[in-house]
Structure formats: structure tokens, C-alpha cells
Amino acid sequence: MVLEKKLSEDRLKIIEARHHDPFNILGFHRHDKQATINAFLPATQEAWLDAERRMKRIEGTDFFTWTGDAADIKKPYQIHRLDNQQQERSHYDPYCFDKQISDFDLHLFSEGKHWHAYRVLGAHHRVVDGVAGVLFATWAPNAQRVSVVGDFNRWDGRCHPMRVCGHSGVWELFIPGVRAGALYKFEILNQQQGSLHLKMDPYAQQTELRPGTASVVMKPESFNWRDKDWMDKRERTNWLHAPHSVYEVHLGSWQRDHDGGFLGYRELADRLVPYVQQQGFTHIELLPVTEHPLDASWGYQTTGYFAATSRFGSPDDFRYFVEQCHLAGIGVILDWVPGHFPKDAHGLARFDGTALYEHEDPRLGEHQDWGTLIFNYGRNEVRNFLLSSAFFWLEEFHIDGLRVDAVASMLYLDYSREDGQWLPNIYGGRENLEVIAFLQHLNSVLHQAHPGCIIAAEESTSYPMVSRPADMGGLGFSMKWNMGWMHDILQYMQQDPVHRRYHHDQLTFGLLYAFTENFVLPFSHDEVVHGKRSMLYKMPGDEWQRFANLRLLYTFMFTYPGKKLLFMGSEFGQGSEWNCDKALDWYVLDYPMHQGLQKLVADLNAIYRRYAALHQYDFDAQGFEWIDCTDHEHSIISFMRKAAEDYTITLLNFTPVVRKQYRIGVPEAGQYQVILNSDSEYYAGSNYPAAILIDAEHKPWSDRPFSLALDLPPLAGLVLVKSR
């Protein structure tokens, strides 16, 4: 009687979709020489194992059972049924298969040390006991019941409840017969409140196109990579001393098709890659292509940390894009957002009915400015989720690096918060110690596993040692965006030239800290939106002066210590602010000044890559020397960039006044050649007749034994080298 009562209770829980361990009742159960097979089959009229073994319906339910000689049943077995539309259907019983995820995988995941958790969790094709199907797995430790629902089971949470793997909080179910392209989600019943949640798969590697929110069973990867030479070369490249010039791109608005729709990854590869190659950039940096529900978020409110957005095609289409970049000698950096995630009901927020990926306390768990939630970096499984995501993009898509978004917001517990709105760390400080440990570990293992990869931090404060190794106490990033330099130089350039002499220190201050980090000089998307104006229209003066100022600014940028980053459209002087809903204003290239600016950027990239002096010691004081940084009255600066056996000279005139026979000191006698003049007619400048070859005079100047006297064009930069 006790056993019968227990079985009745179990059956009721299965019928009501609240059973914590469906394998305890469903599937094959042996009792000495007898066996019982239980199945819950909604929308079924009849069920049988074969012609001689009919299953009995429990009256008033969709619960079917068979009892007989155990020797008659060999696993895996099929269940045949007649559905409510009088159609005969057959399937292998998902509840006759053993647990699929190993204890070792579960241990690594629980410890936060599973670099490749994405190969275990999510949806993966698998052949078990000769039967093909898909293994589904997810982490939901506070669930009473988790089910796989999809277009293969009428989205009915009663059909495929999952098994929980011990105390790991991981749930799994192998479902035979599910094919690539199937849509699915996880239906989760919270064990405390009994609330029901329908969630996309956090580890899904493909998703529906928005506004759909279902995950997609991805086809087995069959992409045949052809970029081995690039990958081998990357591993051998010393990026510290290599040229690194980045073209930042939002794929949805670089160009559009004739109807205003998105270009696909393959079309973008065919158009964007040759353009970037022509312009001379070494890398493309993509605003997040991780899946996101809202176009206007530009990808920064991510829901799919393992899924390339379906807006532009399939995962293999994106692989093709990356491969074409590599074949053209261009690296790919992905904007990655481990700092926060959106509150969308189908996403990570309260995934199992509790604050699982986030903090329960909003003083720790919510970004008030952005309306998003902050990851709980104190949980091993959450850290593992993010760590595995980083590995996923580098390994599965051959991405060459990550730009980690909003690092400052991660590092500080009081970021954008008033007193009383945040909680201090265990020592009473404002630093997020769990984030620091996470970033150090992330950077250490990524650099160890993938030599040559670049992990750059968008970090806007003076937090120390961001780009210094973790074993030295740093955060371990390869590079850090130089937000201070960007802010100072843009503020300076927006001054009317007549007033610039009063702000000369903004030109020179950056050299006081230029070598404390491995800096990237960024003019990014953030500088050309929300009323900040385009790069061109930040510049003062009439049209001629705006273009001259921008050519001057880029000449300064490309010869200043640090790697380079320029947002799309800025290279040809887009006039309007960036709008993510439409393509760049390519029509402006019908006009000479825009053409000239575009040519200048291409030539700046060319000399930056050609002359070791301009990149070999971007992060080291031995690669820079002021010639004169004190001439604030004329708003002129001059400096040398140096390599082991090479140097260049940069001379910048920040006023619209021609400076005739302006003298600077040089280290050697001989002839110096102007290799770039931003005022050249080739760049649509005024083409002031300045000399191209200048002989050094034996006249000491600025503590140097020789000097040059040359005419400086207005609002222009000159780059010179010693003729050999």
C-alpha cells in the first residue's frame, strides 16, 4: 500500500509537471525479472512498444504504463503512439538513457574552472547507444522542475522534464530525434514560490531573429577553416611591438542593402574586408555581435553570450566573415560585455526564479543608469559562464581578441551611485574584489591558452596596472583605452585656435602618464552619438578649418605613442552623428575634402605600419622624445618617435597661421624628408608650398647639435624622416 501510494504521488507530480526527478518514475524500471515502462504522453490516444506489448493508460490521465518480462525489452526501445489527429508516431524513450554529463565536468563547472563549459551546457548533438539526438543541459539550482520545451513537443512543459545531476544544480536530458534548426527554451518551476519561467538557453549557440526569443539547435559544425597560416602567425607575433590600428565597426549600419535592410555576414565580408584592407587598418573591432533583443542597444545589452546575432546570418556565416578577414591579413576583435545584462524576462534575469546570475540586493546587482543587472562574480558558476564565453569566441570563431566593455563599472562598487546606494567590500573599500580576482584569472588563462590574443579594457578611471600582468598585481589586460588622452585632446581641438595657447597643457599632459599602461588611443562610437557631434563637427571654424583640424588631429594621433582606434565614418569625415538605424553617409565621398581625409587616414596607416619608430615602442618611454613641447604662444609641438635604428619627427601647427622658417633641433646632420604633410593638395589641403627635403644646419637648437628651418602650413602636421 505504501509503494502504491508513493507511485500515485509520483505520477501525479509528473502529470502536474512538478516532479524533481522524472527518471525515478518515467522510463524503464526493473523489478527482479519483471520490468515496468512508464511514459507521460499528452495528446495521445493509444501507445504500444510493439504489436504484442500494448501500454495501458492510467484512467483519466495521459500516463501510460507497461509491465512484463524484463528480458523482452532491450534498451534503447521505441514507444509508438496514435495521436489525437489519428497519426502514428514513434520515438525513442528519452528516459531509458543514462546520465550523460560526467562528474568531472560537473566538478569543474562547480569550481568555476571549466574553460569549455559551453561544450557541456546548452544543446549539443550526440549519438547515445546508437541513437542520434540532442543533449540539453542548463544550470538552475533553485528549480523544482526544469523541462525542455520546443516546436518538437508543442511547447508543453509536461513532455520532457529533465533530470538534475546531484547537487550541482545542472539539469540534463537527451532527447532522441531532435534535429538541427529546432526551436527550444527551458521551462523552469521555482521550488520556493512555485513561479513558472520560460527562458532562452544561456549557452545557446544560435537564436531566433528578433523579435523571436527562442534558442535554436545549431547544426553540427562543419566549417572548414582556411586561416591556419594567420593563426600560427598570430601566436608568434609580439603584439607589444607590432602596429595595431583598429577600425571600429557596427555591422548593422556600416552599409545597408538597397532596401535599407541589413547586409549579411558574407556580404559584409565581401565589402568591408577589402575596404579595411585598402585603408590600411590592421584590425576590425566589432561592436557586440553577441545576440541581443534591442537594435538600439548596439549589442551592449546581451542575452546570447555564445550566439552570434542572427540579424546577419548563421554562425557559419560569421565564421566566413572572420576567415575572410584573416585571409586578408586583418585581425578581428569582438566587443564583449561581461559587466551587465538586460532584465528581459526570457533572458538571464531571475533565471530559475531567484537572483541566480545577478545579486539579490539592488545595491550590488543593478545598474541604475542602464537599467541592467550586474553579474554575481562571487559565484563560481557565474564566473565560469563568463570565462567559457570568452574561450568560446576565441576558439570556435577564431576571434583574435576581446575589448572588454565598461570595466570601470565593474571595478567600483560605488560606480554611478550615491551614498547609501552601495555596499563596501569586506575591508570597507569601494573596489569590487570579486571582479578583480575574476579579471585577473580571465586574462591569465586566456593569454596562456591563446598566445597573441589581445584583451583590451575600456577602463575610464585611473585604476592602476590595468595592463600589467596579474602575477605583478595588475589586472592582466593586454591594453587599456586611453580615455584621458581622448578627452583632453578633443577638448583642446574644440577650442578656437586663437585660444589654444591657453590650453597647451592638454596637448602635453598625456606624456606624463603615457607609459604607465599599454594604451590604445580611441576615437570610438561613444564620441559621435548623443549630441556629441561627429568628429568633423567637433572641429571649430569654417569647412576648410574643420577638415584641416581633423587632418591635423589624426596626424597627431597616428604619430603619438599608443595603438590606434577609429570609429567607422570618422575616416572620411561623416558630417552627421552616427545613427545605428541607417548606413553611413557614403555619398559625401563625392566631395574632395571627404576624399582627401579618407586618403590621409590610409596614408597615416601606411607610414604607421612601415616605420618601426611609429609602433615598436608604443608602450615604452624609449620610443618617444620631445623636441619642443613649450611653444604655447604659437601652439606648436614637435617630437621624435624612435625605434632601435630609426626615428621620425612630427611637427604640428595648431593655428591657421603659416609659420615661416620655423626652427627645430635635430640629432644629426644631413637631409630630412617630409613623408607626410596633412595640408597637401592630395588630401584637399591648402597645399602651402612647404619644402619636401630640408638640409640640417650646423646650428644648435633645443639642446641638439643641428636644426632645421622649415615653413609650417596652417593647421597642419608634418612627419619627417632622416634620408639615408
mmCIF file of all heavy atoms in Angstrom, residues 532-547:
data_model
loop_
_atom_site.group_PDB
_atom_site.id
_atom_site.type_symbol
_atom_site.label_atom_id
_atom_site.label_comp_id
_atom_site.label_asym_id
_atom_site.label_seq_id
_atom_site.Cartn_x
_atom_site.Cartn_y
_atom_site.Cartn_z
ATOM 1 N N LYS A 532 26.980 64.578 -29.087
ATOM 2 C CA LYS A 532 28.402 64.932 -29.019
ATOM 3 C C LYS A 532 28.948 65.391 -30.360
ATOM 4 O O LYS A 532 30.082 65.861 -30.434
ATOM 5 C CB LYS A 532 29.215 63.732 -28.523
ATOM 6 C CG LYS A 532 28.863 63.303 -27.111
ATOM 7 C CD LYS A 532 29.652 62.057 -26.725
ATOM 8 C CE LYS A 532 29.221 61.517 -25.384
ATOM 9 N NZ LYS A 532 29.879 60.246 -25.049
ATOM 10 N N ARG A 533 28.175 65.235 -31.417
ATOM 11 C CA ARG A 533 28.538 65.615 -32.789
ATOM 12 C C ARG A 533 29.572 64.658 -33.380
ATOM 13 O O ARG A 533 30.256 63.944 -32.671
ATOM 14 C CB ARG A 533 29.049 67.057 -32.856
ATOM 15 C CG ARG A 533 28.011 68.093 -32.456
ATOM 16 C CD ARG A 533 28.624 69.481 -32.396
ATOM 17 N NE ARG A 533 29.589 69.593 -31.319
ATOM 18 C CZ ARG A 533 30.342 70.670 -31.107
ATOM 19 N NH1 ARG A 533 30.256 71.714 -31.932
ATOM 20 N NH2 ARG A 533 31.195 70.701 -30.112
ATOM 21 N N SER A 534 29.634 64.664 -34.689
ATOM 22 C CA SER A 534 30.612 63.828 -35.389
ATOM 23 C C SER A 534 32.010 64.381 -35.150
ATOM 24 O O SER A 534 32.189 65.517 -34.691
ATOM 25 C CB SER A 534 30.313 63.817 -36.884
ATOM 26 O OG SER A 534 30.528 65.109 -37.436
ATOM 27 N N MET A 535 33.016 63.587 -35.486
ATOM 28 C CA MET A 535 34.393 64.068 -35.340
ATOM 29 C C MET A 535 34.607 65.340 -36.145
ATOM 30 O O MET A 535 35.263 66.284 -35.687
ATOM 31 C CB MET A 535 35.370 62.978 -35.790
ATOM 32 C CG MET A 535 35.460 61.785 -34.860
ATOM 33 S SD MET A 535 36.117 62.171 -33.220
ATOM 34 C CE MET A 535 37.832 62.525 -33.619
ATOM 35 N N LEU A 536 34.043 65.387 -37.350
ATOM 36 C CA LEU A 536 34.229 66.564 -38.192
ATOM 37 C C LEU A 536 33.623 67.803 -37.552
ATOM 38 O O LEU A 536 34.247 68.875 -37.533
ATOM 39 C CB LEU A 536 33.611 66.323 -39.571
ATOM 40 C CG LEU A 536 33.748 67.477 -40.566
ATOM 41 C CD1 LEU A 536 35.215 67.721 -40.907
ATOM 42 C CD2 LEU A 536 32.944 67.176 -41.837
ATOM 43 N N TYR A 537 32.439 67.654 -37.007
ATOM 44 C CA TYR A 537 31.752 68.831 -36.477
ATOM 45 C C TYR A 537 32.100 69.134 -35.027
ATOM 46 O O TYR A 537 31.570 70.091 -34.455
ATOM 47 C CB TYR A 537 30.238 68.691 -36.691
ATOM 48 C CG TYR A 537 29.860 69.110 -38.087
ATOM 49 C CD1 TYR A 537 29.894 68.192 -39.134
ATOM 50 C CD2 TYR A 537 29.543 70.434 -38.380
ATOM 51 C CE1 TYR A 537 29.603 68.574 -40.435
ATOM 52 C CE2 TYR A 537 29.245 70.824 -39.673
ATOM 53 C CZ TYR A 537 29.269 69.894 -40.699
ATOM 54 O OH TYR A 537 28.980 70.294 -41.987
ATOM 55 N N LYS A 538 33.006 68.383 -34.454
ATOM 56 C CA LYS A 538 33.629 68.808 -33.206
ATOM 57 C C LYS A 538 34.655 69.902 -33.473
ATOM 58 O O LYS A 538 34.997 70.678 -32.570
ATOM 59 C CB LYS A 538 34.346 67.632 -32.531
ATOM 60 C CG LYS A 538 33.455 66.530 -31.983
ATOM 61 C CD LYS A 538 34.316 65.427 -31.375
ATOM 62 C CE LYS A 538 33.528 64.187 -31.044
ATOM 63 N NZ LYS A 538 32.568 64.396 -29.963
ATOM 64 N N MET A 539 35.171 69.918 -34.700
ATOM 65 C CA MET A 539 36.237 70.846 -35.041
ATOM 66 C C MET A 539 35.665 72.255 -35.251
ATOM 67 O O MET A 539 34.589 72.413 -35.829
ATOM 68 C CB MET A 539 36.960 70.395 -36.310
ATOM 69 C CG MET A 539 37.560 68.989 -36.241
ATOM 70 S SD MET A 539 38.866 68.797 -34.999
ATOM 71 C CE MET A 539 38.030 67.775 -33.770
ATOM 72 N N PRO A 540 36.383 73.292 -34.806
ATOM 73 C CA PRO A 540 35.896 74.663 -34.954
ATOM 74 C C PRO A 540 36.183 75.234 -36.347
ATOM 75 O O PRO A 540 36.954 74.667 -37.129
ATOM 76 C CB PRO A 540 36.699 75.423 -33.896
ATOM 77 C CG PRO A 540 38.002 74.681 -33.825
ATOM 78 C CD PRO A 540 37.650 73.238 -34.054
ATOM 79 N N GLY A 541 35.539 76.369 -36.641
ATOM 80 C CA GLY A 541 35.851 77.110 -37.864
ATOM 81 C C GLY A 541 34.934 76.781 -39.025
ATOM 82 O O GLY A 541 33.938 76.056 -38.892
ATOM 83 N N ASP A 542 35.291 77.325 -40.176
ATOM 84 C CA ASP A 542 34.523 77.069 -41.383
ATOM 85 C C ASP A 542 34.859 75.669 -41.915
ATOM 86 O O ASP A 542 35.599 74.914 -41.289
ATOM 87 C CB ASP A 542 34.795 78.150 -42.431
ATOM 88 C CG ASP A 542 36.269 78.255 -42.798
ATOM 89 O OD1 ASP A 542 37.034 77.279 -42.556
ATOM 90 O OD2 ASP A 542 36.689 79.299 -43.331
ATOM 91 N N GLU A 543 34.317 75.340 -43.081
ATOM 92 C CA GLU A 543 34.501 73.990 -43.601
ATOM 93 C C GLU A 543 35.973 73.662 -43.799
ATOM 94 O O GLU A 543 36.442 72.578 -43.424
ATOM 95 C CB GLU A 543 33.747 73.832 -44.924
ATOM 96 C CG GLU A 543 33.863 72.413 -45.491
ATOM 97 C CD GLU A 543 33.151 72.250 -46.825
ATOM 98 O OE1 GLU A 543 33.427 73.059 -47.744
ATOM 99 O OE2 GLU A 543 32.343 71.321 -46.959
ATOM 100 N N TRP A 544 36.725 74.601 -44.370
ATOM 101 C CA TRP A 544 38.144 74.333 -44.609
ATOM 102 C C TRP A 544 38.862 74.069 -43.287
ATOM 103 O O TRP A 544 39.657 73.128 -43.168
ATOM 104 C CB TRP A 544 38.798 75.518 -45.330
ATOM 105 C CG TRP A 544 40.252 75.251 -45.600
ATOM 106 C CD1 TRP A 544 40.777 74.642 -46.681
ATOM 107 C CD2 TRP A 544 41.352 75.554 -44.714
ATOM 108 N NE1 TRP A 544 42.152 74.529 -46.546
ATOM 109 C CE2 TRP A 544 42.529 75.086 -45.356
ATOM 110 C CE3 TRP A 544 41.461 76.159 -43.473
ATOM 111 C CZ2 TRP A 544 43.780 75.208 -44.783
ATOM 112 C CZ3 TRP A 544 42.716 76.278 -42.898
ATOM 113 C CH2 TRP A 544 43.866 75.808 -43.561
ATOM 114 N N GLN A 545 38.578 74.895 -42.269
ATOM 115 C CA GLN A 545 39.256 74.727 -40.987
ATOM 116 C C GLN A 545 38.850 73.425 -40.301
ATOM 117 O O GLN A 545 39.681 72.774 -39.661
ATOM 118 C CB GLN A 545 38.972 75.920 -40.079
ATOM 119 C CG GLN A 545 39.654 77.202 -40.525
ATOM 120 C CD GLN A 545 39.742 78.230 -39.407
ATOM 121 O OE1 GLN A 545 39.666 77.905 -38.232
ATOM 122 N NE2 GLN A 545 39.905 79.488 -39.785
ATOM 123 N N ARG A 546 37.574 73.048 -40.408
ATOM 124 C CA ARG A 546 37.149 71.786 -39.786
ATOM 125 C C ARG A 546 37.935 70.612 -40.361
ATOM 126 O O ARG A 546 38.434 69.758 -39.625
ATOM 127 C CB ARG A 546 35.645 71.576 -39.989
ATOM 128 C CG ARG A 546 34.764 72.400 -39.068
ATOM 129 C CD ARG A 546 33.346 71.843 -39.016
ATOM 130 N NE ARG A 546 32.689 71.879 -40.310
ATOM 131 C CZ ARG A 546 31.973 72.887 -40.771
ATOM 132 N NH1 ARG A 546 31.826 73.987 -40.015
ATOM 133 N NH2 ARG A 546 31.384 72.837 -41.957
ATOM 134 N N PHE A 547 38.035 70.547 -41.679
ATOM 135 C CA PHE A 547 38.775 69.438 -42.287
ATOM 136 C C PHE A 547 40.260 69.524 -41.958
ATOM 137 O O PHE A 547 40.902 68.502 -41.677
ATOM 138 C CB PHE A 547 38.561 69.424 -43.799
ATOM 139 C CG PHE A 547 37.310 68.714 -44.216
ATOM 140 C CD1 PHE A 547 36.145 69.425 -44.466
ATOM 141 C CD2 PHE A 547 37.279 67.337 -44.341
ATOM 142 C CE1 PHE A 547 34.984 68.773 -44.844
ATOM 143 C CE2 PHE A 547 36.127 66.669 -44.719
ATOM 144 C CZ PHE A 547 34.965 67.391 -44.967
#
